[in-house]
């Protein structure tokens, strides 16, 4: 158990560096495509992994862990042998916006680049709203379908995973000419629409439609938020900026269920969904305003 906890922490430690590495070895005009491909691969694993685990669990449990360990070692070896030599040196000192270059902390970077702080604050609202589908939706399924609610939610969860796999290549192709911040704003609109659908749904079909709409927003937001950070941050600070992105989204995930649990004492689940939809619409509007100002700043 201690080793599993340690492994989880170490994986979290590597993620900012991994996101920075992708940006360093990818041409600037293909950064969004690269993050989209990583997102697709992650969801392929999430869709296929449980199925393989279910087959191995009953008869060959030891193989489940052995294959998982081999896969981890193989992925690390591929990065060490095939990627490390392609990493470019950090950008010159002046690109960091300070004379101390790589010594500049992420907080100093935010003070010198306030637009990154604004982007992070808006993403905090996004993650606060997004996590509600993992919190409110199971409760709603339990209210509507009683004992069958768990199965209904599992179905919606599977639809989300498969929709990511099927829609990511299409959405990447359709939106590749949009600025990352604008794509994140559009994704927020899809989030708000999905939450509004959940608020008025009384049968399974609208919930399925809402999950597909939610997935479209999830795809646009996930890889474009990473792309924005990659394109607006000096390479010497990419890992630190990506760690900030991880902390911000995780904070939203942590606070969201606790806050909504308290609000559910005062309102119904449909009412809570309408509140989340309104918050998400406000977040999308803020992101759209942010995109326009960021575009003028860049020009």
């Amino acid at each position: 158990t201690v080793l599993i906890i340690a492994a989880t922490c170490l994986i979290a430690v590597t993620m900012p560096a991994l996101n920075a590495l992708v940006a360093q070895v990818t041409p600037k005009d293909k950064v969004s495509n690269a993050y989209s491909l990583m997102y697709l691969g992650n969801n392929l694993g999430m869709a296929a992994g449980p199925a393989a685990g279910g087959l191995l669990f009953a008869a060959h449990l030891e193989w489940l862990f052995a294959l998982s360990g081999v896969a981890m070692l193989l992925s690390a070896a591929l990065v060490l042998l095939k990627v490390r030599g392609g990493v470019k040196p950090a950008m010159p000192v002046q690109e960091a916006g300070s004379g101390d270059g790589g010594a500049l902390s992420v907080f100093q970077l935010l003070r010198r680049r306030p637009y990154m702080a604004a982007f992070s604050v808006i993403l905090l609202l996004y993650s606060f709203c997004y996590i509600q589908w993992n919190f409110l939706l199971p409760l709603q399924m339990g209210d509507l379908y009683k004992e069958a609610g768990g199965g209904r939610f599992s179905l919606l969860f599977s639809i989300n995973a498969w929709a990511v796999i099927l829609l990511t290549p299409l959405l990447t192709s359709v939106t590749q000419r949009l600025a990352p911040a604008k794509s994140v704003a559009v994704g927020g609109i899809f989030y708000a629409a999905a939450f509004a659908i959940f608020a008025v749904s009384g049968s399974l079909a609208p919930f399925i439609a809402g999950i597909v709409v939610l997935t479209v927003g999830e795809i646009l937001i996930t890889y474009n938020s990473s792309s924005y950070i990659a394109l607006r941050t000096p390479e010497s600070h990419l890992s630190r900026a990506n760690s900030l992105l991880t902390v911000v989204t995780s904070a939203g995930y942590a606070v969201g269920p606790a806050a909504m649990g308290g609000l559910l004492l005062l309102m119904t689940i449909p009412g809570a969904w309408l509140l989340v939809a309104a918050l998400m619409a406000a977040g999308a509007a803020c992101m759209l305003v942010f995109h326009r100002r960021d575009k003028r700043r860049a020009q």
Side-chain angles (χ1 to χ4, degrees):
T1 303
V2 172
L3 289 175
I4 291 173
I5 294 171
T8 304
C9 292
L10 289 171
I11 290 172
V13 167
T14 65
M15 292 312 296
L18 176 62
N19 285 331
L21 188 62
V22 171
Q24 285 185 326
V25 300
T26 306
K28 292 300 182 185
D29 60 336
K30 299 294 183 183
V31 168
S32 292
N33 298 40
Y35 283 118
S36 173
L37 183 62
M38 284 183 60
Y39 180 60
L40 175 61
N42 185 58
N43 279 275
L44 278 170
M46 291 178 65
L55 292 174
L56 291 170
F57 179 79
H60 301 286
L61 180 61
E62 66 278 6
W63 281 102
L64 181 63
F65 292 100
L67 290 173
S68 180
V70 169
M72 285 287 188
L73 290 172
L74 179 61
S75 65
L78 285 171
V79 172
L80 286 172
L81 297 175
K82 297 294 185 180
V83 181
R84 188 171 64 172
V87 177
K88 296 174 291 185
M91 283 187 177
V93 167
Q94 63 267 24
E95 289 290 339
S98 162
D100 33 22
L104 198 67
S105 73
V106 70
F107 300 106
Q108 290 172 319
L109 185 67
L110 287 177
R111 283 198 297 269
R112 295 172 185 271
R113 296 173 180 239
Y115 57 89
M116 286 184 60
F119 184 76
S120 300
V121 170
I122 299 173
L123 281 187
L124 177 62
L125 179 58
Y126 270 53
S127 60
F128 176 93
C129 294
Y130 172 79
I131 197 62
Q132 302 305 333
W133 90 270
N134 279 299
F135 176 69
L136 286 176
L137 205 53
L139 297 177
Q140 193 173 17
M141 292 294 102
D143 279 351
L144 290 174
Y145 299 106
K146 308 306 179 186
E147 291 81 4
R152 296 290 193 276
F153 180 72
S154 296
L155 173 64
L156 296 177
F157 196 89
S158 297
I159 290 172
N160 170 254
W162 285 107
V164 167
I165 294 169
L166 296 174
L167 295 177
T168 296
L170 175 63
L171 290 172
T172 303
S173 176
V174 170
T175 63
Q176 62 181 342
R177 296 192 178 186
L178 288 179
K182 187 173 184 179
S183 293
V184 173
V186 172
I189 295 171
F190 276 94
Y191 272 3
F195 299 146
I197 292 172
F198 295 153
V200 299
S201 295
S203 60
L204 191 59
F207 281 110
I208 292 174
I211 282 293
V212 174
V213 173
L214 178 80
T215 305
V216 172
E218 179 185 339
I219 294 168
L220 292 175
I221 292 165
T222 300
Y223 73 82
N224 278 293
S225 57
S226 296
S227 299
Y228 179 86
I229 293 295
L231 295 172
R232 291 291 191 275
T233 307
E235 291 188 18
S236 57
H237 288 72
L238 272 176
S239 291
R240 276 164 277 191
N242 275 290
S243 69
L244 173 68
L245 183 63
T246 302
V247 169
V248 165
T249 53
S250 297
Y253 294 160
V255 174
M260 193 54 63
L263 289 174
L264 283 178
L265 298 175
L266 306 174
M267 61 177 61
T268 63
I269 291 178
W273 276 129
L274 289 176
L275 174 61
V276 174
L279 287 173
M280 193 65 252
C286 289
M287 185 61 76
L288 189 59
V289 172
F290 170 83
H291 160 67
R292 291 174 177 172
R293 292 186 176 181
D294 185 61
K295 185 178 179 180
R296 288 200 297 268
R297 182 198 61 80
Q299 290 172 344

